[in-house]
Amino acid sequence: MTSRLLMPVRARDAEALAREVPGSTRPTPVLDLEHPLVTELVARVLRESAARGAVTDRARLQVAHGILVTAVRPVYSVEDRRRVSRTLRLGRGSCSQRMAVLEAVARSLGVETRVRGLLVDGSFWYPRFPKLRAFVPEEVLLAWPEFRLDGAGGADGTDGGTGDAWVPIAELFTGLGPSAHGGGFTNSGAETLFEAVARTAVDWDAPVACAGSAPCDLSAHLRADLGRFSSRDELFDLHGQTLCRTARTLAEPVLGRWNAGAGDGGTRGVSCRSGRARGAWHRASPRCRRSTTLRVASLLRLAMPGTRRRSLIRPDRQDTP
């Protein structure tokens, strides 16, 4: 696995686990709620919620989740502190960045949010990078959102009772089980963690319902629980991001455009002008063929499982082993 020198030093606070942390609906540097792109997304969520008869906060967040699955392309971006508005403007984001967008929508709707800091073993991402394990971080810092829902309404959008309750993102779609929904999440193939929470149970705490070897139990991948924080900004202020700044600067130009869930081996959208012509290869452009980012992406692409040996620089020619 990657050297610890590429990762920030994190202090473990034993008291953080027992501390009760309030949530908030206020904007933060990451959750820039007042940006026009965020307010436009919230307006769309409200329109579609009204059309579908979604009247509870849980139901509206389910609608928002569905919109983000189709509107924001999954990539392996390593910039966890990216502003929500920038993620929306780019139209692509990692699981962490898309969860941040969902948090921003929730806060805009008056729903308090907070995050739980989880250190997940790097081996959890081995299925996606089988030939690049040496570059996978030893541990990945995951900001796992929680939403304070009134009555913790049911999965069908109905009121589930009285009183408020903190609901993790994996429980926004309750009543899910791996056996009835095509198996648990394995972090391989086209589905990412952000999409999986709407299809199957995902849990980091090994509950009785899925403890042991059941597919929904991801507790074996959890290295440490850092506790809860009033915002992801606070979590990253205290514990840093998964990679140090130098490593992020080097990795982001490639990983920030590398598709994580389209099922095409991560190639779509990796181009010299991906922002203008997503998926276009610009075959006739010598400048594109000389692109350092594209050359590195071509090499990394060969390490992905189940991909055709096709160069991103010369898509009309097959790469030789």
Side-chain angles (χ1 to χ4, degrees):
M1 289 180 285
T2 190
S3 170
R4 295 285 303 183
L5 295 176
L6 299 179
M7 303 170 62
V9 177
R10 298 188 178 94
R12 309 295 170 88
D13 184 3
E15 297 181 358
L17 296 177
R19 186 171 59 239
E20 180 61 28
V21 177
S24 176
T25 59
R26 294 186 301 235
T28 71
V30 174
L31 308 178
D32 51 344
L33 313 183
E34 298 175 355
H35 192 279
L37 289 177
V38 179
T39 57
E40 180 182 343
L41 172 63
V42 173
R44 177 182 173 184
V45 170
L46 291 174
R47 288 195 305 270
E48 296 196 14
S49 295
R52 302 180 192 182
V55 296
T56 66
D57 289 333
R58 181 192 290 267
R60 293 190 184 101
L61 290 178
Q62 291 173 352
V63 171
H65 181 276
I67 291 174
L68 293 176
V69 166
T70 58
V72 182
R73 181 167 57 92
V75 293
Y76 295 112
S77 176
V78 294
E79 292 290 354
D80 289 332
R81 301 197 71 148
R82 175 169 290 164
R83 293 177 182 270
V84 164
S85 59
R86 179 162 175 78
T87 298
L88 292 174
R89 182 167 60 252
L90 292 173
R92 60 177 185 264
S94 65
C95 286
S96 177
Q97 291 164 352
R98 290 183 290 167
M99 289 178 189
V101 177
L102 188 61
E103 282 185 74
V105 172
R107 291 193 176 202
S108 297
L109 295 176
V111 177
E112 293 183 6
T113 75
R114 66 184 185 185
V115 297
R116 180 183 177 192
L118 303 176
L119 285 178
V120 182
D121 196 288
S123 62
F124 183 57
W125 279 267
Y126 280 180
R128 294 191 177 273
F129 303 96
K131 297 182 181 179
L132 293 175
R133 293 185 178 183
F135 299 98
V136 174
E138 184 176 346
E139 56 190 24
V140 174
L141 178 58
L142 181 63
W144 197 242
E146 295 181 344
F147 307 89
R148 192 171 182 85
L149 299 179
D150 182 16
D156 58 357
T158 60
D159 188 4
T162 59
D164 297 342
W166 283 107
V167 178
I169 185 172
E171 296 179 14
L172 281 179
F173 300 84
T174 56
L176 300 177
S179 60
H181 295 268
F185 178 65
T186 59
N187 207 15
S188 61
E191 183 181 59
T192 67
L193 185 59
F194 184 77
E195 286 103 35
V197 297
R199 179 188 62 83
T200 187
V202 175
D203 205 296
W204 301 100
D205 293 315
V208 176
C210 70
S213 59
C216 61
D217 179 12
L218 301 180
S219 61
H221 299 286
L222 183 61
R223 281 193 162 204
D225 186 343
L226 301 177
R228 276 139 177 116
F229 302 83
S230 61
S231 70
R232 60 183 51 236
D233 301 70
E234 182 184 351
L235 169 64
F236 296 137
D237 284 342
L238 185 60
H239 295 282
Q241 300 181 55
T242 296
L243 297 178
C244 66
R245 182 174 181 178
T246 300
R248 296 197 308 271
T249 301
L250 294 173
E252 183 62 25
V254 172
L255 296 181
R257 292 176 171 82
W258 192 342
N259 235 12
D264 59 0
T267 63
R268 190 170 182 80
V270 180
S271 66
C272 296
R273 306 175 190 174
S274 57
R276 300 180 185 176
R278 181 181 300 173
W281 306 125
H282 310 292
R283 301 182 183 184
S285 172
R287 179 182 178 184
C288 180
R289 295 178 184 176
R290 291 195 300 266
S291 167
T292 301
T293 297
L294 207 58
R295 289 180 183 277
V296 173
S298 290
L299 295 176
L300 292 177
R301 179 181 180 276
L302 298 180
M304 295 293 289
T307 60
R308 292 174 53 196
R309 292 184 173 273
R310 185 182 64 178
S311 170
L312 301 185
I313 304 170
R314 295 295 301 274
D316 54 319
R317 297 168 58 179
Q318 297 292 316
D319 295 333
T320 56

